[in-house]
Amino acid sequence: MKQAMIFAAGIGTRLKPITDSMPKALVKVGGQPLIYHVIMKLRAAGFERVVVNVHHFADQIITYLAENDNFGLDIRISDERERLLETGGGIKKALALFDAGSQILIHNVDILSNVDLSAFYEVAGDNDATLLVSRRKTKRYLLFDETVRLRGWTNVETGEVIMDCERGAIRRDELDMLAFSGIHVVSPSVFSCFEEMPERFGIMEFYLKWCGKFRFQGYLKDDLKMIDVGKLDMLDQAEKFVAGS
């Protein structure tokens, strides 16, 4: 079964004042909510089951999906209204809603891209997790070795570095800095590891904790076109992106 999770629980602080009255997932781009664009992309790629986590204005998202008959998909809600669990905690809570034998594609609701999700899902099958990355400029980077295997993380603004020390000494300057896209695939081989994490945590905490034991692979797409619709000033670019796609 091809299955995916859409992160739609965020408060959308950077999209205020729009998100004072609606969830980020329902902010419109090209005449349709962000969540519509992600669902349509997943459906076109052959995904059958989609779990959507909700928190901020959760009822609006649930109603929107119901009014559209879940777009013909098996869409399930992971309810985080009591407490926002961050990205890692969100996956941990949602695992019970998935087929335990199939990998899960994770997609942020505010990401628009030219990625072939079906091909990416297939490529990810040989790894414990696969992270879509690019060479775009950002403040926080993932660090990969010559085989594009995850070895650490850095914030170039603060100078903070977190390294995988379980596979032997390696110098920071031997690693490649790549930017994470908010799209990744998690394999059943690591599902049990989520139980050893707290209730609330970020997915990068998970990847950095376990990258010494498991193969977390970067998938570098040099021609990646991506819009992160997380800020008000990105809405115009997102409109153009959707119009041109």
Side-chain angles (χ1 to χ4, degrees):
M1 174 184 290
K2 292 178 75 170
Q3 53 187 5
M5 180 174 184
I6 300 175
F7 282 144
I11 295 174
T13 303
R14 296 177 299 168
L15 282 173
K16 284 178 172 290
I18 299 175
T19 48
D20 285 337
S21 58
M22 69 169 63
K24 178 167 57 175
L26 295 185
V27 173
K28 289 187 176 181
V29 171
Q32 296 287 355
L34 286 169
I35 196 169
Y36 169 88
H37 294 290
V38 179
I39 290 174
M40 289 300 100
K41 193 172 178 69
L42 288 168
R43 190 172 76 171
F47 285 81
E48 305 162 69
R49 179 177 297 173
V50 178
V51 173
V52 179
N53 70 340
V54 295
H55 172 80
H56 186 58
F57 291 113
D59 289 340
Q60 291 186 30
I61 298 175
I62 294 170
T63 298
Y64 171 76
L65 294 171
E67 289 176 346
N68 287 279
D69 297 318
N70 286 337
F71 298 95
L73 300 175
D74 174 10
I75 294 184
R76 304 177 176 196
I77 299 298
S78 182
D79 195 333
E80 296 182 25
R81 277 177 283 195
E82 287 188 6
R83 187 187 186 199
L84 191 59
L85 300 176
E86 296 189 32
T87 49
I91 295 172
K92 178 180 178 179
K93 179 178 174 65
L95 281 177
L97 301 173
F98 287 105
D99 171 11
S102 299
Q103 59 188 10
I104 305 167
L105 184 143
I106 314 293
H107 200 300
N108 289 357
V109 77
D110 55 2
I111 296 295
L112 302 172
S113 79
N114 66 340
V115 179
D116 181 334
L117 295 180
S118 182
F120 178 60
Y121 191 76
E122 294 303 319
V123 165
D126 295 332
N127 305 312
D128 298 302
T130 304
L131 293 75
L132 181 68
V133 293
S134 69
R135 297 195 182 280
R136 66 184 175 87
K137 187 175 181 180
T138 184
K139 297 177 183 177
R140 294 175 291 273
Y141 291 93
L142 295 176
L143 304 175
F144 295 89
D145 65 19
E146 68 280 359
T147 67
V148 202
R149 184 169 178 173
L150 182 64
R151 299 297 300 267
W153 171 95
T154 185
N155 183 322
V156 294
E157 212 172 60
T158 65
E160 183 182 3
V161 177
I162 300 174
M163 295 287 289
D164 160 32
C165 299
E166 294 190 22
R167 291 201 297 270
I170 187 169
R171 297 202 316 268
R172 161 66 193 83
D173 59 9
E174 294 176 334
L175 300 175
D176 197 8
M177 294 195 311
L178 297 170
F180 180 48
S181 69
I183 302 173
H184 44 131
V185 173
V186 180
S187 166
S189 60
V190 298
F191 287 175
S192 62
C193 297
F194 281 89
E195 295 306 313
E196 299 188 35
M197 302 296 290
E199 180 185 19
R200 185 174 187 265
F201 63 97
I203 190 58
M204 281 306 150
E205 295 177 49
F206 177 85
Y207 285 142
L208 294 169
K209 175 181 175 63
W210 296 101
C211 66
K213 180 177 180 180
F214 294 97
R215 186 170 192 86
F216 297 154
Q217 193 76 13
Y219 180 83
L220 180 59
K221 183 174 174 59
D222 289 320
D223 64 341
L224 178 65
K225 294 180 181 177
M226 188 189 85
I227 299 289
D228 180 348
V229 198
K231 298 180 182 179
L232 285 173
D233 60 7
M234 296 303 294
L235 287 174
D236 286 342
Q237 291 185 43
E239 292 281 351
K240 294 175 183 176
F241 184 89
V242 169
S245 61

